[in-house]
Structure formats: C-alpha cells, structure tokens
Amino acid sequence: MSSITQVSDSMQTILQRRAKELERQSGFVQRSSAQLDGPIFSQMTVLTWMHNAQAGYTLLRHTAASLGVQVSNQAIEQRFSQASARLLRALLDEAVEQVISSDARVPEVLARFNGVYLQDGTVISEPSSLAQEWPGHGQAGQEAALRVQGQLELGSGCLAGLWLQTGREAERSGEAISTPLPVGSLFNADMGYFTLKEMRQRGKLEQYWLTQARVHADRHRPGRAVLGPALLLTCADERRGGCGGLRG
C-alpha cells in the first residue's frame, strides 16, 4: 500500500468514523438531529484550514455546503466552544498516532544500522487565549506556544513518532527523547538533543548517534585528540574498540 493511500484511509477513519464516535463523548453533540455533527464539523475545519489557514466563517460555510450541509455563518460561529476544542484535540491525538510508512531505501553506508532515526522539532506560536492549555515562554508573542517533535525512520519512511508538548517544555524532554530505540540503531539530531550523559547512555544501550560538533569541540582519546568542528558517529561503548568514525 502506498503512503498516499495510507494517509487517505487514516484521515477518512479519523474525520468520519472516529469523529462520529467522539462527538458525544466530547460533549460536542447533544442531539442526534444536529446538522453540524462531529464528522461534518471536523472535515469542514480541517479541509478548509489546510487550504487556507486564515479562512473565516464564509469559507468554512462553503466547505460545509460541499459536504452537503447548508448552514449560516452564525450557526458555524456558535459551534466553536470548549466542546469543539475537546473534539478536535481528541482527533488530533489520534491522528498523530497513525503510522505511515513507504518503500524508502537507505544508502548502503546506512544499511548496516538497525534503523536510522532522524529527529527534529519546531515551536508554533498560538493565540494568547490558549496560554493556560499551551503555555509558552512568557515572552511577548509567545505567551502560548505548541512544541511539535517528529521522528522519521529513514529505512522504512515511517513516521516513528510525532509528539505534542507545551512550548515551555524543552525539546530534550518527554516521550520525544525517552521513547526507546532498537539496539544497533542510528539516532541523528542536532546538538540540542544531546548531553554528554545522554551520549554515554546511548552507548551503553548499544545505539549509535550522529550530530554536528560544536565549533570549539575537541574529542579526546588516549594518546590523541580529534579536533572539531567535526561530524561524530559514535557508540560510546569504548570496550568494543570505540565505534567512532566519520570525522570531517
């Protein structure tokens, strides 16, 4: 199955079947005759804002009409509430848990590893009204913020992890950093994800890691020093002769 087909099937399941199952649990639907029920409301918002993130009620109404529901701008406005936020949050949580993969192939030099995991993240500023649920750093313009981190397994093309955190939390925290990787795998991320302690811990777990060195970094071994800047590919278990390599 192609990744496009997987995404299509997953989104249909989430925006139709799961939205229907969660509409009452979230408190979004109180009566079965509601026109803007869970599936219609979810598809209306997601499809509209995927196309235009600044879309207002009129464009949302046009999307609802394309889904077979004729409603006014006022009716749409009235459906936005704490209940609709709970519904969309529940669907988002389920969406990020979907596993999408492809028939990717890694270069031969990386095929020796038991999985090659690339990880990075970003911080998205949110409206200040969301500061209680998604607190940011408190700086002007970032009273509310959402940190999103993703992890891609290069060999399978599988999105192995997508984690949501408050913008206040460090990128080196939570499931994004504590989720275990296989023995013999390679973890690639920027220096924000590493401390010397964590480098040693990955070595003890027989995992490799790859990152750029800081400009003034020196790497010392008994009898010699390798000067930075450098790329380091290493397994901290020096008992196996030191798995360091790929110095540049």
Side-chain angles (χ1 to χ4, degrees):
M1 180 184 295
S2 70
S3 57
I4 294 177
T5 303
Q6 291 181 65
V7 170
S8 176
D9 290 347
S10 295
M11 294 310 295
Q12 285 186 27
T13 297
I14 291 169
L15 295 179
Q16 294 179 13
R17 182 173 63 81
R18 290 299 292 148
K20 191 65 179 177
E21 294 170 351
L22 291 168
E23 62 181 12
R24 288 187 178 275
Q25 181 180 327
S26 63
F28 180 73
V29 167
Q30 304 295 331
R31 52 187 178 84
S32 57
S33 59
Q35 281 190 297
L36 275 177
D37 60 3
I40 295 297
F41 181 83
S42 302
Q43 292 175 72
M44 177 188 71
T45 52
V46 171
L47 296 177
T48 301
W49 287 331
M50 280 180 64
H51 178 68
N52 181 356
Q54 305 301 320
Y57 296 128
T58 298
L59 288 180
L60 288 168
R61 177 167 57 84
H62 290 166
T63 302
S66 72
L67 296 170
V69 175
Q70 302 292 335
V71 290
S72 66
N73 288 7
Q74 183 180 7
I76 294 174
E77 181 181 8
Q78 292 173 348
R79 296 302 277 153
F80 284 94
S81 63
Q82 290 294 323
S84 65
R86 287 193 297 269
L87 171 64
L88 293 178
R89 173 61 191 274
L91 294 176
L92 176 61
D93 288 342
E94 295 204 9
V96 300
E97 292 177 358
Q98 298 298 307
V99 177
I100 306 298
S101 61
S102 66
D103 298 324
R105 293 290 184 271
V106 297
E108 184 178 353
V109 69
L110 298 178
R112 69 189 71 176
F113 299 104
N114 185 23
V116 179
Y117 295 84
L118 313 180
Q119 186 162 325
D120 205 351
T122 189
V123 176
I124 304 171
S125 296
E126 300 288 350
S128 58
S129 58
L130 296 177
Q132 184 173 355
E133 184 172 5
W134 298 106
H137 293 289
Q139 302 172 352
Q142 278 214 341
E143 294 86 358
L146 170 67
R147 182 180 294 279
V148 182
Q149 299 200 60
Q151 187 183 91
L152 179 71
E153 200 292 293
L154 195 60
S156 65
C158 176
L159 190 63
L162 192 63
W163 300 278
L164 305 179
Q165 300 169 276
T166 67
R168 182 179 296 174
E169 296 178 80
E171 60 185 354
R172 202 172 60 251
S173 66
E175 289 184 296
I177 199 68
S178 63
T179 301
L181 296 180
V183 170
S185 60
L186 171 63
F187 178 70
N188 178 211
D190 63 44
M191 283 297 294
Y193 286 90
F194 291 99
T195 64
L196 290 175
K197 179 180 178 181
E198 288 161 351
M199 291 174 182
R200 287 192 292 267
Q201 180 63 23
R202 288 191 181 278
K204 291 177 181 179
L205 296 173
E206 299 186 43
Q207 298 170 2
Y208 295 84
W209 51 265
L210 173 65
T211 189
Q212 80 278 14
R214 298 187 186 278
V215 173
H216 301 295
D218 293 346
R219 182 171 184 228
H220 294 274
R221 274 196 181 176
R224 64 172 179 161
V226 180
L227 301 178
L231 284 177
L232 304 179
L233 171 59
T234 186
C235 167
D237 187 356
E238 296 289 341
R239 293 174 299 176
R240 302 198 305 180
C243 305
L246 290 188
R247 296 186 296 274

